[in-house]
Amino acid sequence: MSNPASAVAVLLPGATPEQSGAVLGAMRAVAETGGAATRSDRLALEGAARYVFGHAGPFTFADLTPVTPAALKAALAGTNLGNDAAKFLTVMALVDGKLDRAKIAAVLRYADALGISERYLDEVREAAEGHLQEALADMTRCNMESVTGMPWEGDVNAWLVPYGGAGADPALAQRFQALKSLDAETFGHAMWRHFTSNGYEFPGEPKALNVVFSLPHDSVHVLSGFDTSARGELLASTFTAAMHPKFPMAGHILPVIFSWHLQVQINKVAGEASSALDPVVFWQAWAAGAAATVDTFSPQWDFWEHVATPLEELRAHYSIPVDGVEQAATVR
């Protein structure tokens, strides 16, 4: 077994071999809708086997039998695994960086068989049917409600960058700048370094992001260790989705997959890129977020209470690998 201080716990350790095999088999079937599985598909299945279900030893794709919707329903009967399976299947349909209508239709057949009806499924259905802007608008609403804790109606871009002109808040910016004086190993200094090394303005400065979003989001980057590349943003948001229970798929995972993997810009701040989904570490980030005992987006969490705590100590306290998630190993 790996050292707990440097390990990521398996996401679903209680699944039986038959149940995990059925979920992975259904994921293979989605991947192979309309053609052979790609290298990314195979890596995604290997990563899910390892980080979601804790399968030890080498992964052999050929040993994985495709599973029909009816067979998946039978294998998962009497459990709550259907909800997880529907999420995994949705991701699997998007691994190749394409919005494939046939793959989405396959996912929806599995969801129907499992009796799963969720907002994120409505979003991918809308997108696959050509109603992309409607789907993106709903992802935005879900994301903003998840971040703010309130129903959302308004101008996202204006909310995200509120400190221009009369909105400047020099006192808030100074509070962040003062983090430089803390010891180098502390969480607060690490946050200061995160902002300055990336060339970000501090909340309160004209081009900075709203502290309501920036503080919890950038805290995830620092705590998890994921960088701010397109790949790192996708992984940080996946960690967030598992950590923060409000619209995890509809408000976090799908928006970043669309932004950073499918090259669809949701808003001016989010940006766009392609092929940013790391098919293995994605599942590791999901498992790590689920294992974390902190929710930085919770109204009860106060960043300023922890700025003087050494980062490694804080990670250990929150059940996050002390060296960051990407350096971690799974518990075997």
Side-chain angles (χ1 to χ4, degrees):
M1 180 176 290
S2 301
N3 177 359
S6 62
V8 173
V10 172
L11 181 62
L12 298 175
T16 67
E18 293 76 15
Q19 291 162 348
S20 63
V23 174
L24 292 168
M27 292 169 69
R28 174 177 176 172
V30 168
E32 293 182 324
T33 300
T38 64
R39 180 176 183 274
S40 292
D41 292 327
R42 291 169 181 252
L43 287 172
L45 286 164
E46 180 178 1
R50 177 182 178 189
Y51 292 108
V52 175
F53 297 112
H55 289 189
F59 174 79
T60 305
F61 177 81
D63 291 343
L64 196 59
T65 303
V67 170
T68 66
L72 181 63
K73 176 183 178 180
L76 303 186
T79 76
N80 293 321
L81 293 173
N83 289 299
D84 295 301
K87 296 173 184 176
F88 303 159
L89 292 168
T90 302
V91 171
M92 202 69 212
L94 303 172
V95 163
D96 278 341
K98 301 174 184 177
L99 190 59
D100 187 306
R101 188 168 184 173
K103 288 185 178 182
I104 296 301
V107 170
L108 296 174
R109 288 194 292 274
Y110 282 98
D112 286 344
L114 294 168
I116 305 298
S117 178
E118 294 286 348
R119 197 152 166 183
Y120 71 88
L121 294 168
D122 294 334
E123 291 173 353
V124 293
R125 179 188 287 109
E126 285 282 308
E129 291 178 352
H131 307 140
L132 182 59
Q133 293 308 312
E134 291 86 343
L136 297 179
D138 195 61
M139 290 179 202
T140 297
R141 285 190 292 270
C142 290
N143 178 261
M144 294 303 295
E145 184 171 340
S146 180
V147 169
T148 66
M150 298 178 291
W152 177 257
E153 293 292 340
D155 183 340
V156 173
N157 293 313
W159 184 88
L160 282 170
V161 189
Y163 303 116
D169 189 341
L172 178 61
Q174 178 56 41
R175 195 176 188 191
F176 279 94
Q177 292 163 0
L179 296 172
K180 179 182 180 180
S181 65
L182 294 172
D183 289 342
E185 74 275 8
T186 62
F187 177 46
H189 188 89
M191 181 68 90
W192 173 85
R193 190 166 57 248
H194 168 79
F195 272 84
T196 55
S197 64
N198 283 292
Y200 296 162
E201 291 194 354
F202 292 110
E205 297 177 330
K207 296 180 181 179
L209 295 180
N210 194 321
V211 70
V212 176
F213 168 76
S214 177
L215 192 53
H217 175 73
D218 287 298
S219 291
V220 166
H221 276 291
V222 173
L223 288 169
S224 69
F226 292 128
D227 64 25
T228 59
S229 65
R231 173 183 176 277
E233 291 291 353
L234 199 154
L235 293 170
S237 288
T238 301
F239 182 101
T240 298
M243 170 194 75
H244 183 59
K246 187 69 172 178
F247 291 129
M249 284 289 291
H252 292 281
I253 287 180
L254 282 188
V256 292
I257 288 179
F258 273 67
S259 289
W260 300 116
H261 192 55
L262 304 186
Q263 203 169 5
V264 176
Q265 187 174 44
I266 292 181
N267 59 59
K268 292 180 181 178
V269 172
E272 60 183 89
S274 62
S275 303
L277 192 155
D278 185 311
V280 175
V281 184
F282 174 86
W283 304 107
Q284 184 183 31
W286 193 322
T293 58
V294 62
D295 179 357
T296 62
F297 282 90
S298 168
Q300 285 71 49
W301 188 75
D302 185 353
F303 166 81
W304 300 102
E305 289 184 0
H306 307 288
V307 295
T309 303
L311 176 57
E312 290 189 359
E313 180 181 322
L314 195 61
R315 285 172 171 166
H317 177 69
Y318 290 147
S319 299
I320 298 170
V322 294
D323 295 324
V325 177
E326 200 156 8
Q327 302 301 318
T330 50
V331 174
R332 292 301 189 187

